[in-house]
Amino acid sequence: MLKEIDVILNSTHDATIAVDMNGNITLFNKAAEKILGFNEKDVLGKHIEEILPSTRLPYILETGESELNRRQIVSDISIITSRMPVKDEQGNTIGAVAVFRDISEIMDLNDEIYKLKEMQSLLEGIFHSTQDAISVCDENGIGVLINPAYTQLIGLSEKDIIGKPATTDIVQGESVHMKVLRTKKPVKDVRLKVGPRNKEVVAGAAPIIVDGVLKGSVGVLHDLTEIKRLNSELMQAKQIIRNLEAKYTFDDIIGNDELMITAMQKAKQAALTPATVLLRGESGTGKELFAHAIHNLSYRKYNQFVRVNCAAISESLLESELFGYEEGAFTGALKGGKIGLFEQAHGGTIFLDEIGEIPLSTQVKLLRVLQEKEIVRVGGANHINIDVRVIAATNAPLERAIEEGRFREDLYYRLNVLPIHIPPLRKRKNDFYHLILHLIKKFNQEYGRSVEEVDIEALNKLKTYDWPGNVRELQNIIGRSMINMKYSETIIKEEHLPKLFYNDKLQFNKDSRISSRIKYENNEGLKEIMDRLEREVITSALKRNNGNRTVTARELQVSVRNLYYKIEKYAIEI
């Protein structure tokens, strides 16, 4: 029987120490050995206080009272112990026993649990306070957790989501939770419509994996309406800033083709000098972009950048707009006169676009500005000194204009100090792909799309075209192609390219035969017939060139100024 008791005592995880009425150790089991670091044979028969000075077993022997579940530190070990007297049949105390266990691990575990609770509280605080709409589902796709931002966004309560399939709130599109559970991979930027209000959102989700086992999915929704609003506000803010300074830098110019790189290198060199620059190239090649970039790289970048479209201002007003006028200079002049664009650009840069359209009378004054660095207002006599860097641009052959007497040769040499030729799009086919990706990114923001790429067939089709409108025309075609795409499509294909793109040449041939379809009206003379025909030809050409006046003027072999006059004369609207 004693042997069985000994086996039991040495098998238990609780440490047990027993002493006789004199305080000598009579029992010291295996668990006590492990906790206290003594061997049974070394301690049996010794007084308990020799082994454990902090023991309270002598007190138990003296009082005959028990002490239960007391915490005690023994040799840096935290234990929980119960001490009880051992009595004979007459109730006399004949010994005492202590039963205890090491609770150090339990205490460490308790600390970890406390820290986990702190972390849980912190995460719950973040989860419930964040403005991101978050939902969590288990491995079976059942909703287990959502935050207040989620209910506010989609318009459903917790009871509508918790315990329900992850597809419950989806109105249009595939649940990101179910896709994550199926693929075990994160998904992002998925457009969905959710909730009873058909809220349009962008969703992302990631798997919850514990020890290599998929336990669920966590998803985040972003209100696309709010994103669009914020993007609109950002664009407005950028526009306000851009109205105060030049908009673009050389980083905004897309070009890896050798001809384009050469043009940019020359422009960067020109930016570091005060010399007059003449930008030459077809309409839509990016002459204004270069002008902005040159200004922003120059020492004048913190001063005014003034853009003037010389072809868009009527001949009678151009001189007064450029140089200003004094009070009473002409009928309708403002009281006190008006400052000209050259004066506004003082200390900065003036960009004269379509310089070839300036009339000869104004060319004389412009030459004086370039030579003497001074202007005289219309109707005035005082010379006003100005410090202005001139950047001019033209798509017209100025040399031919000189031969025809429409442009001053001396002005030409003053302007042509640093000529920079910007290549047309048809000569930089290597830039097509990068330009298209840049335009896709631009229109994604404007149209709220998520187009990613253009396929090789569509790219090759675009490369076969001559692009008379250059980058401006390419921008028009890419924009229309993206409009032709479904919201779920992410790659521009040949089928998305506008049909008019294929039929441009055919359309032009039809227009060239317009004279064969002239209709004669009653009491209509030759002048009326010619005016009507001219209006039809100009209207058709403008439509074909997407309203681009410069390309239309070149196609019809008239000056841009003459085209503007005829558009106004016939009240043509595009």
Side-chain angles (χ1 to χ4, degrees):
M1 182 65 179
L2 291 174
K3 188 176 181 179
E4 291 178 354
I5 293 175
D6 186 60
V7 171
I8 294 172
L9 289 173
N10 284 301
S11 299
T12 182
H13 291 290
D14 289 335
T16 305
I17 299 177
V19 296
D20 60 19
M21 61 182 301
N22 298 316
N24 297 321
I25 299 173
T26 59
L27 175 65
F28 200 91
N29 71 350
K30 297 291 186 184
E33 288 182 338
K34 183 177 180 181
I35 294 174
L36 299 179
F38 296 103
N39 291 323
E40 180 185 23
K41 64 181 180 178
D42 296 329
V43 299
L44 287 178
K46 292 184 177 180
H47 195 275
I48 186 63
E49 290 181 329
E50 293 181 32
I51 306 303
L52 293 175
S54 61
T55 182
R56 287 181 59 82
L57 286 179
Y59 177 78
I60 302 301
L61 291 172
E62 182 180 345
T63 62
E65 296 180 357
S66 299
E67 293 182 344
L68 303 178
N69 298 323
R70 301 293 178 89
R71 186 177 174 185
Q72 184 179 350
I73 303 298
V74 178
S75 301
D76 297 328
I77 298 174
S78 183
I79 64 172
I80 187 81
T81 179
S82 292
R83 309 178 188 94
M84 296 155 287
V86 178
K87 298 183 178 183
D88 59 16
E89 293 179 356
Q90 289 74 33
N92 299 316
T93 300
I94 60 172
V97 63
V99 180
F100 56 96
R101 64 172 55 187
D102 184 356
I103 60 168
S104 299
E105 293 184 2
I106 296 176
M107 294 301 296
D108 291 341
L109 183 60
N110 186 62
D111 288 341
E112 289 185 17
I113 292 173
Y114 180 76
K115 290 178 181 178
L116 286 174
K117 286 183 177 180
E118 280 189 330
M119 183 62 68
Q120 181 183 8
S121 298
L122 177 63
L123 292 176
E124 285 180 354
I126 296 172
F127 184 75
H128 287 91
S129 63
T130 180
Q131 296 301 308
D132 291 331
I134 304 173
S135 63
V136 182
C137 72
D138 62 17
E139 66 272 23
N140 299 314
I142 303 300
V144 295
L145 194 62
I146 59 174
N147 68 344
Y150 191 90
T151 61
Q152 185 177 359
L153 174 62
I154 67 173
L156 293 174
S157 64
E158 286 192 5
K159 67 178 182 179
D160 298 321
I161 302 297
I162 304 302
K164 306 289 179 63
T167 56
T168 299
D169 55 349
I170 305 296
V171 175
Q172 182 178 322
E174 181 186 4
S175 167
V176 290
H177 285 305
M178 301 309 294
K179 188 171 183 179
V180 165
L181 295 176
R182 185 175 67 253
T183 63
K184 297 183 180 180
K185 295 180 179 179
V187 296
K188 61 180 181 178
D189 298 333
V190 177
R191 297 184 64 163
L192 303 170
K193 287 187 177 180
V194 297
R197 297 192 294 265
N198 287 343
K199 201 75 170 181
E200 192 172 4
V201 300
V202 175
I208 301 172
I209 298 176
V210 180
D211 295 331
V213 179
L214 181 67
K215 292 295 184 178
S217 168
V218 56
V220 180
L221 303 184
H222 296 286
D223 187 354
L224 196 57
T225 306
E226 182 68 9
I227 293 174
K228 288 180 178 179
R229 184 187 67 79
L230 293 174
N231 186 63
S232 176
E233 290 181 359
L234 177 61
M235 294 300 291
Q236 289 176 8
K238 285 183 177 180
Q239 189 61 43
I240 291 172
I241 295 171
R242 286 176 174 176
N243 285 337
L244 301 176
E245 58 185 18
K247 302 177 185 178
Y248 309 108
T249 66
F250 282 104
D251 292 335
D252 296 307
I253 300 176
I254 308 299
N256 296 314
D257 188 271
E258 184 177 350
L259 292 175
M260 198 64 173
I261 291 175
T262 300
M264 285 194 287
Q265 288 175 342
K266 287 184 177 180
K268 289 177 180 179
Q269 292 173 351
L272 304 178
T273 72
T276 300
V277 176
L278 180 61
L279 300 172
R280 309 194 66 169
E282 298 176 7
S283 178
T285 53
K287 296 187 292 296
E288 183 175 348
L289 194 67
F290 268 76
H292 284 250
I294 291 171
H295 173 78
N296 273 329
L297 192 61
S298 73
Y299 68 89
R300 299 174 181 265
K301 64 182 179 179
Y302 297 113
N303 296 323
Q304 190 77 351
F305 178 85
V306 176
R307 179 191 179 279
V308 185
N309 188 338
C310 300
I313 304 175
S314 64
E315 185 175 336
S316 59
L317 294 176
L318 182 60
E319 185 176 337
S320 62
E321 288 293 322
L322 287 175
F323 308 113
Y325 58 81
E326 299 289 352
E327 182 177 346
F330 50 83
T331 303
L334 295 174
K335 185 177 181 179
K338 180 183 178 182
I339 187 174
L341 295 173
F342 268 95
E343 288 182 76
Q344 289 183 27
H346 179 70
T349 303
I350 188 167
F351 173 49
L352 301 176
D353 199 6
E354 304 292 354
I355 192 71
E357 301 301 320
I358 292 182
L360 286 169
S361 59
T362 307
Q363 290 179 30
V364 177
K365 282 200 168 186
L366 179 57
L367 179 61
R368 183 174 184 82
V369 173
L370 295 174
Q371 288 178 335
E372 308 298 334
K373 301 297 182 183
E374 62 183 25
I375 64 164
V376 178
R377 291 184 182 179
V378 176
N382 297 325
H383 296 272
I384 303 173
N385 293 324
I386 58 167
D387 174 24
V388 175
R389 202 277 179 74
V390 175
I391 301 177
T394 181
N395 61 4
L398 294 182
E399 295 79 9
R400 184 188 301 173
I402 293 171
E403 292 176 2
E404 297 173 355
R406 294 184 290 105
F407 202 84
R408 293 180 62 95
E409 187 173 4
D410 48 3
L411 177 60
Y412 170 77
Y413 290 121
R414 280 290 179 180
L415 292 171
N416 201 40
V417 177
L418 283 173
I420 298 173
H421 293 267
I422 304 174
L425 187 57
R426 62 181 174 275
K427 291 186 179 180
R428 39 186 292 228
K429 296 294 178 72
N430 291 335
D431 289 339
F432 259 66
Y433 181 68
H434 300 289
L435 281 168
I436 291 171
L437 291 184
H438 174 75
L439 293 172
I440 286 174
K441 182 178 179 181
K442 174 180 180 290
F443 287 120
N444 275 340
Q445 293 179 344
E446 291 184 12
Y447 299 161
R449 297 296 186 97
S450 54
V451 180
E452 299 174 356
E453 188 61 271
V454 56
D455 75 0
I456 190 66
E457 289 80 9
L459 182 62
N460 290 336
K461 186 68 180 180
L462 292 169
K463 285 184 177 181
T464 61
Y465 186 54
D466 285 339
W467 299 102
N470 292 292
V471 179
R472 188 181 292 120
E473 186 177 5
L474 176 64
Q475 179 174 327
N476 178 276
I477 293 299
I478 296 303
R480 290 160 63 189
S481 300
M482 290 176 63
I483 291 173
N484 291 336
M485 298 172 65
K486 297 178 181 178
Y487 271 95
S488 58
E489 293 178 315
T490 59
I491 299 177
I492 297 178
K493 298 182 179 179
E494 189 174 349
E495 64 194 52
H496 299 133
L497 300 179
K499 301 302 179 184
L500 182 62
F501 173 71
Y502 299 115
N503 299 328
D504 279 335
K505 295 181 180 180
L506 177 62
Q507 183 67 32
F508 181 78
N509 292 333
K510 288 180 180 179
D511 293 337
S512 66
R513 299 194 297 271
I514 192 170
S515 60
S516 65
R517 303 196 300 273
I518 297 176
K519 297 180 181 179
Y520 296 92
E521 305 291 343
N522 292 333
N523 301 320
E524 190 176 46
L526 179 61
K527 183 180 183 305
E528 287 79 9
I529 294 173
M530 295 304 294
D531 286 347
R532 179 161 51 81
L533 177 59
E534 187 174 43
R535 187 183 191 281
E536 290 182 24
V537 171
I538 293 173
T539 301
S540 181
L542 284 168
K543 288 181 178 178
R544 182 169 57 257
N545 293 313
N546 304 310
N548 189 310
R549 269 80 165 163
T550 305
V551 176
T552 301
R554 184 170 66 246
E555 183 181 297
L556 298 179
Q557 299 181 18
V558 298
S559 69
V560 176
R561 186 181 302 282
N562 193 14
L563 178 62
Y564 271 92
Y565 165 74
K566 292 183 182 296
I567 290 173
E568 184 177 351
K569 174 184 176 181
Y570 298 124
I572 297 174
E573 297 182 358
I574 299 297

